[in-house]
Amino acid sequence: MQSLVLFGVAVAASACGADDPTEPASSDAITIAGPIITIALSRLDALQSPGSAYVLGTQSVIVLRLGERDYRAFTNICTHSGCGISLFERGRMRCQCHGSEFDTDGKNVVGPAPSPLTQYAASLDVGTNTLTITKPS
């Protein structure tokens, strides 16, 4: 059973208003070097179980944990009017502004969003328990 998840790190303000962050990351959990984001998963409570998600607001990225080793990363900017997406429930990312919904592949499945979310490469290093996300530069 999955429940509503509201999460964030200083989620970026959008055209429709700002989201409320609920879990700031510890300063040693996430490092950003240009287009590379590295997350020390053992230091980030929000991604401890499958069905969870986390927003890196300063990077406009939403990270989903779908399975034991299945992590996915997308832009969290809705393709309809640019609102920040910070809700993930029942396998869908949902824009709070106008109700667009995106599946776990980023495909737009409900609402006015005209196109899917951009997906970023996400690579899990099991040995170090780190997730590396690469955004296009």
Side-chain angles (χ1 to χ4, degrees), residues 4-110:
L4 173 67
V5 179
L6 179 63
F7 41 87
V9 174
V11 178
S14 68
C16 297
D19 301 310
D20 295 324
T22 60
E23 185 184 347
S26 65
S27 61
D28 61 346
I30 299 171
T31 57
I32 300 166
I36 308 295
I37 302 165
T38 304
I39 301 173
L41 294 168
S42 62
R43 297 185 189 131
L44 187 64
D45 290 340
L47 292 173
Q48 292 302 307
S49 62
S52 59
Y54 189 72
V55 170
L56 292 102
T58 59
Q59 297 297 305
S60 300
V61 172
I62 184 170
V63 181
L64 309 179
R65 180 175 182 185
L66 302 176
E68 200 58 38
R69 294 183 178 183
D70 185 2
Y71 292 85
R72 298 180 191 178
F74 301 89
T75 179
N76 80 321
I77 304 300
C78 182
T79 59
H80 172 240
S81 65
C83 292
I85 298 170
S86 64
L87 295 175
F88 179 69
E89 61 181 339
R90 294 186 295 277
R92 299 257 177 104
M93 295 172 276
R94 185 168 53 91
C95 179
Q96 307 82 277
C97 291
H98 303 107
S100 290
E101 294 183 11
F102 303 85
D103 67 15
T104 57
D105 291 321
K107 182 180 174 190
N108 48 319
V109 292
V110 172

